[in-house]
Amino acid sequence: MEKRVYTFGEGKAEGSQSMKNLLGGKGAGLAEMTNLGLPVPPGFTITTEVCTHYYKNGKGYPSGLEAEVSQAMRRVEQIVGCKFGDHDNPLLVSVRSGARASMPGMMDTILNLGLNDDTVQGLIRRTKDARFAYDAYRRFIQMYSDVVLEVSPHHFEALLDQARRKSGVKNDYELKAEDLKNLVSDFKQVVSEETGSPFPMDPNAQLWGAIGAVFGSWMSARAISYRRINKLPEDWGTAVTVQAMVFGNMGMDCATGVAFTRDPSSGEKRFFGEFLPNAQGEDVVAGIRTPNPINKDSSNHDDLPTMEKLFPKVYGELTHLYQMLEKHYRDMQDIEFTVQKEKLYLLQTRNGKRTASAAVRIAVDMVKEKLITEEEAVLRVTPAQIEQLLHPRLDPRVPKKVIAKGLPASPGAASGEVVFSSEDAESAAKLGTNVLLVRHETSPEDISGMDAAKGILTALGGMTSHAAVVARGMGKPCVAGCSAINIDYKKQQFSVEGTVVKKGDVVTIDGASGEVILGHVPTINSQVDQYFTQFMKWVDARRTMGVWANAETPNDAKVARQFGAEGIGLCRTEHMFFEENRILAVREMIVADTKAQREAALSKIYPMQKDDFVAIFREMKGLPVTIRLLDPPLHEFLPHTEGEIETLAGLLNKSADMLSAKIRSLRELNPMLGHRGCRLGVSFPEIYQMQTRAIMEAACELILSEDYHIEPEIMVPFIATIEEFHLLKQDIKIVCEEILAKHKIKVPYKIGTMIEIPRAALVADQIAAEAEFFSFGTNDLTQMTLGLSRDDAGMFLPRYVEKGIYRQDPFAVLDQEGVGQLIRIACEKGRKTHPKLKIGICGEHGGDTTTIEFCHRLGFNYVSCSPFRVPVARLAAAQATLKK
Ligand code: ADP
Ligand code: MG
Ligand code: MG
């Protein structure tokens, strides 16, 4: 028969820290501390497997469990010298829950279990302290009724309140024995009335009631939603720990408290904690009384005496123990302790939760203290924490009124006056006003408005909508797809469940949580300090995959380099076409009827493109730059308004009617699958020729005049067949060679392609025979593999994620099973015909942690993501290497 109950006590435990999966974090920690010889009250832990069994067998226990529990209880009785349920010398226990990871939402701990009308008399006789005994009893009834019997706690609160008022005292601990005794009988009365049966007096029934409640809480709505949000599996189960009580509420020589071995918010190496004299269990955390600081370092007000002062001997002991625990666990610990009559007991230890900056600092300090290795330090900080560090975030101390929630599209937080158009955003920003741009959705024309705004809020669109992608690129907070807000452009306002927000009203968005908040919430700025710098050095030393950035302006490139990018993996050229002073020439090119007309228009664009590339190459100082030739459907550039059409017609000496007809003829029903990418290059070879000339001339110019090393990588988008690529590559190559011959220099350029159409992945061996690199355009690849429009999926995708059809938004986290399979095929086939093929990813997924790990496993040369995510990707890539 397999073992289901593991005891601990008197310096010996059957379990240990390594049995965390079986005993839960709490049970494993108690076992470990016991084995270390620390003062831990004895007890036993029922394994998580019993929980799994419980749910597999219609909430039934495995046979023999009862006997095992009784046996373990006998052992605890022997150690403590009391008997569970004995009316002279009763043993009291706590019943505690504990999953592998600490999990809010699980059952609250029940203390003082084993008390009844009979045993309370025994406790009084033993302690000679009726006040204490009745206080323990009334706490027990309160907790048990709330947690196990599901009687609403407000009944008890109301009675307590009444009792305090009747006795004319402010605090519970000032109530007399007699008051508490009366409360006990009132509490029992409530339970009878509310549940229809008397409060259970049999200690064994109490015990099994509590055990059942712990297992039951694993499937509580709170626990289920916590697991869903944090992606924890259901089959973990929770353990139950039953432990002999020690009492922090037996008088002023008793106390209970919590402590951190280092400062959890700054990471500073100093002992930090709080305690309450004459109190029990959760009193410290519950905030009923203001706790005292354990030492001067923990104090922010001087009036409350420290533990160091009140309990000098115990404090000395605690100091010794925390140092020992930290050394043993080699991580910052969060410790719970109780002092009973000047004797210290430890009740819990775990790796302490910490802020992002504390995580980095503690990791770095611990390496310097030789407690952990550099590799361990790299694994101690999560990519999400690095992300948090680099963006401003809302001050957690300030209360906030959340009015709606959208998708957390781009992290960071910002407040500003609401505006509904890009023009308004720009003009307000010019006056120095902070604004938030609120739109149904954004389009390429909103770029400068987005640039002027502090943050972007959209009602439509998903994680890869225009607003989301551009905001991430700019490092600006964005909440997208916030369907709860109703925007009325005419009235210049939006409404959400009765609240109306008008133009000029101040709103705050949190792009990390997706929250939209009424009014101004101050933010805390991130800072890059010596610890961060040191940490990232270790990160880079472990990383084998390159981290590049998606950047299309010299400023993007600069930011990318500052964040440690080693190249540009995607420089989109269409944005270069949208600028105000260029768009006319671009339109002229599009509506051209003849090749000559088109070339004339292109020659106006050419010098501007070349200057763009010069500036970006210069910024990247010799690092590789991947330039994607023009991709979007042409109609996106076309004039919309009558005024715009007339301007263009005037310029071209055409009638507005004729021009309108031409524009109509260019319209497509399904532009994302239409005349875009390399198809434009096939139809109008002059466009790619012009772009190639601009790239190579820019490179030659810099090399000749400034002695630069430059590696342009020319990327052809939207390839589906080798014939397309073959044709275009020939064309591009002729232009390149012509320019190099003219300047009589050599430039190490590459011509490659984006793999973004499923067919291209399937015939990757053919394409790789001619392509010098592959870059996976996972946005389009996802869209086409899943048959899911990234611009429209926002309407139903959240429901798909809610129902578990997709575990995550496939535009945010790569669908490894489907899209990932195509990528794997493409890598394998591509390397077969071209073993040294350079492989990267440039879709939005390039910045996602799990996707980065996936790319690492496939042997990618680099990932490319938005500049602000580069440090996150660097860490994810390093961790992927270490985990392999
Ligand atoms: P949580 O998971 O919420 O931390 P715990 O099981 O740690 O819950 O218990 C809550 C509080 O009760 C803690 O402050 C703990 O120290 C206290 N406590 C638990 N068991 C005992 C016990 N046997 N004796 C005294 N205090 C206890
Ligand atoms: Mg605890
Ligand atoms: Mg694409």
Side-chain angles (χ1 to χ4, degrees), residues 111-404:
L111 302 177
N112 312 327
L113 188 137
L115 278 174
N116 57 29
D117 293 348
D118 193 24
T119 55
V120 73
Q121 296 306 328
L123 190 64
I124 293 173
R125 281 194 293 277
R126 187 172 88 215
T127 60
K128 307 199 174 49
D129 189 344
R131 204 216 83 88
F132 156 72
Y134 281 115
D135 186 48
Y137 195 13
R138 69 94 191 163
R139 282 172 188 265
F140 169 56
I141 298 176
Q142 232 175 315
M143 283 184 260
Y144 194 91
S145 305
D146 175 10
V147 175
V148 183
L149 306 177
E150 292 176 353
V151 178
S152 165
H154 81 258
H155 295 290
F156 306 110
E157 293 300 338
L159 287 170
L160 259 170
D161 198 46
Q162 228 175 60
R164 279 191 302 255
R165 258 186 286 157
K166 218 168 103 195
S167 318
V169 300
K170 262 176 71 186
N171 300 300
D172 294 348
Y173 61 86
E174 293 169 293
L175 291 170
K176 301 259 159 20
E178 201 51 35
D179 306 328
L180 293 162
K181 188 179 170 184
N182 291 335
L183 270 178
V184 164
S185 79
D186 291 349
F187 280 9
K188 284 193 301 191
Q189 181 79 29
V190 165
V191 172
S192 293
E193 280 163 17
E194 291 296 310
T195 66
S197 27
F199 187 84
M201 285 289 129
D202 173 12
N204 239 345
Q206 293 173 354
L207 179 66
W208 284 96
I211 292 172
V214 173
F215 288 143
S217 72
W218 183 249
M219 288 297 178
S220 67
R222 276 196 299 170
I224 290 172
S225 74
Y226 182 84
R227 283 199 293 274
R228 200 189 54 227
I229 294 164
N230 293 281
K231 307 194 174 70
L232 301 178
E234 198 171 286
D235 59 11
W236 274 7
T238 179
V240 184
T241 293
V242 178
Q243 188 177 24
M245 283 301 301
V246 287
F247 301 101
N249 56 334
M250 277 179 136
M252 290 312 283
D253 52 355
C254 303
T256 180
V258 291
F260 291 86
T261 59
R262 302 188 187 215
D263 188 325
S265 62
S266 71
E268 229 175 300
K269 193 180 181 196
R270 53 176 194 174
F271 192 37
F272 190 88
E274 295 178 326
F275 79 109
L276 274 175
N278 197 8
Q280 187 170 45
E282 296 283 67
D283 292 0
V284 176
V285 193
I288 302 169
R289 284 195 262 157
T290 311
N292 303 35
I294 56 167
N295 52 22
K296 275 225 184 67
D297 274 345
S298 315
S299 160
N300 37 27
H301 30 92
D302 298 327
D303 43 343
L304 291 170
T306 64
M307 182 168 176
E308 195 171 6
K309 211 162 140 207
L310 289 180
F311 298 81
K313 200 181 117 265
V314 174
Y315 181 77
E317 211 177 320
L318 187 61
T319 305
H320 173 71
L321 294 184
Y322 97 73
Q323 286 166 345
M324 191 171 146
L325 274 175
E326 201 186 74
K327 262 213 190 88
H328 181 74
Y329 279 97
R330 301 158 68 243
D331 200 353
M332 186 261 269
Q333 296 296 294
D334 167 353
I335 301 167
E336 292 178 3
F337 62 88
T338 284
V339 181
Q340 175 178 325
K341 303 265 174 210
E342 297 268 349
K343 173 149 178 38
L344 175 67
Y345 292 94
L346 297 185
L347 288 159
Q348 189 170 341
T349 189
R350 61 183 155 196
N351 295 340
K353 291 230 161 30
R354 61 205 78 179
T355 63
S357 54
V360 172
R361 176 161 180 178
I362 290 171
V364 171
D365 280 346
M366 286 193 166
V367 170
K368 297 208 167 123
E369 294 162 27
K370 299 206 162 49
L371 221 51
I372 59 174
T373 62
E374 291 177 15
E375 282 80 8
E376 284 173 301
V378 168
L379 290 168
R380 286 267 169 101
V381 179
T382 64
Q385 285 174 317
I386 292 295
E387 165 130 37
Q388 225 186 70
L389 266 185
L390 296 171
H391 290 281
R393 63 212 150 80
L394 296 180
D395 188 337
R397 291 165 304 187
V398 178
K400 55 189 184 183
K401 185 172 179 219
V402 178
I403 52 172

Side-chain angles (χ1 to χ4, degrees), residues 627-629 677-678 688 714-719 724-725 728-729 732 751-756 773:
I627 294 154
R628 180 182 69 183
L629 302 177
C678 66
Y688 282 3
I714 300 171
M715 181 154 76
V716 188
F718 227 63
I719 288 288
E724 279 172 322
F725 186 70
L728 292 166
K729 184 184 169 183
I732 292 166
I751 305 172
T753 180
M754 222 157 158
I755 303 288
E756 52 187 336
F773 63 87

Side-chain angles (χ1 to χ4, degrees), residues 514-557:
E515 286 172 344
V516 180
I517 300 150
L518 207 56
H520 172 81
V521 182
T523 54
I524 312 178
N525 257 337
S526 58
Q527 73 218 49
V528 168
D529 57 10
Q530 63 189 95
Y531 297 99
F532 181 76
T533 312
Q534 173 61 267
F535 178 76
M536 291 311 285
K537 268 193 199 138
W538 293 333
V539 164
D540 288 335
R542 259 88 214 161
R543 174 163 67 80
T544 53
M545 199 165 53
V547 175
W548 296 12
N550 300 346
E552 52 218 35
T553 66
N555 189 49
D556 286 352

Side-chain angles (χ1 to χ4, degrees), residues 464 779 782-783 788-790 793 797 809-813 844-845:
T464 54
N779 297 348
T782 297
Q783 162 163 281
L788 195 65
S789 159
R790 59 197 242 227
L797 198 52
D809 179 341
F811 291 110
V813 177
E844 284 304 302
H845 303 89

Side-chain angles (χ1 to χ4, degrees), residues 505-794:
D505 289 351
V506 173
V507 162
T508 301
I509 56 168
D510 182 348
S513 68
E515 286 172 344
V516 180
I517 300 150
L518 207 56
H520 172 81
V521 182
T523 54
I524 312 178
N525 257 337
S526 58
Q527 73 218 49
V528 168
D529 57 10
Q530 63 189 95
Y531 297 99
F532 181 76
T533 312
Q534 173 61 267
F535 178 76
M536 291 311 285
K537 268 193 199 138
W538 293 333
V539 164
D540 288 335
R542 259 88 214 161
R543 174 163 67 80
T544 53
M545 199 165 53
V547 175
W548 296 12
N550 300 346
E552 52 218 35
T553 66
N555 189 49
D556 286 352
K558 188 170 162 186
V559 173
R561 273 184 65 95
Q562 279 167 354
F563 280 122
E566 297 153 308
I568 291 181
L570 177 62
C571 175
R572 298 179 175 94
T573 49
E574 49 270 22
H575 293 168
M576 299 173 167
F577 281 59
F578 269 112
E579 263 181 37
E580 221 169 59
N581 54 348
R582 304 180 181 187
I583 188 82
L584 217 55
V586 174
R587 286 173 178 164
E588 199 182 320
M589 166 195 81
I590 296 167
V591 299
D593 291 317
T594 64
K595 189 172 169 190
Q597 281 174 6
R598 195 170 307 112
E599 280 180 340
L602 282 168
S603 66
K604 292 186 196 164
I605 304 169
Y606 165 77
M608 305 189 249
Q609 277 256 278
K610 195 193 73 184
D611 289 348
D612 289 332
F613 295 135
V614 166
I616 287 178
F617 287 149
R618 184 178 283 136
E619 205 56 70
M620 290 311 283
K621 299 191 174 66
L623 295 173
V625 176
T626 315
I627 294 154
R628 180 182 69 183
L629 302 177
L630 196 64
D631 176 30
L634 288 180
H635 76 91
E636 279 194 18
F637 299 96
L638 288 174
H640 302 297
T641 64
E642 266 173 41
E644 285 173 337
I645 293 176
E646 269 162 27
T647 311
L648 186 63
L651 188 85
L652 298 173
N653 265 330
K654 273 189 179 173
S655 77
D657 281 350
M658 267 175 72
L659 186 60
S660 298
K662 175 85 190 179
I663 291 170
R664 269 198 304 280
S665 77
L666 287 168
R667 207 156 276 156
E668 295 175 292
L669 279 181
N670 211 339
M672 293 315 278
L673 299 178
H675 202 190
R676 56 175 283 209
C678 66
R679 297 165 191 173
L680 295 174
V682 171
S683 304
F684 311 116
E686 314 79 64
I687 300 179
Y688 282 3
Q689 283 163 9
M690 178 280 286
Q691 290 197 292
T692 304
R693 182 164 299 122
I695 294 166
M696 292 311 282
E697 286 285 0
C700 290
E701 188 178 311
L702 268 180
I703 290 170
L704 290 171
S705 66
E706 299 179 30
D707 193 24
Y708 261 55
H709 172 80
I710 290 164
E711 290 180 40
E713 307 200 348
I714 300 171
M715 181 154 76
V716 188
F718 227 63
I719 288 288
T721 77
I722 179 60
E723 287 77 12
E724 279 172 322
F725 186 70
H726 180 77
L727 184 79
L728 292 166
K729 184 184 169 183
Q730 261 185 335
D731 230 26
I732 292 166
K733 199 154 182 173
I734 290 171
V735 175
C736 290
E737 293 302 323
E738 196 184 288
I739 293 168
L740 295 183
K742 184 179 89 188
H743 293 289
K744 298 196 181 58
I745 55 171
K746 278 199 160 57
V747 176
Y749 70 93
K750 289 193 172 73
I751 305 172
T753 180
M754 222 157 158
I755 303 288
E756 52 187 336
I757 293 182
R759 188 184 192 281
L762 296 171
V763 299
D765 46 348
Q766 297 172 22
I767 296 174
E770 296 206 29
E772 286 165 289
F773 63 87
F774 279 178
S775 176
F776 288 95
T778 48
N779 297 348
D780 268 310
L781 192 59
T782 297
Q783 162 163 281
M784 280 182 268
T785 305
L786 274 62
L788 195 65
S789 159
R790 59 197 242 227
D791 301 301
D792 307 314

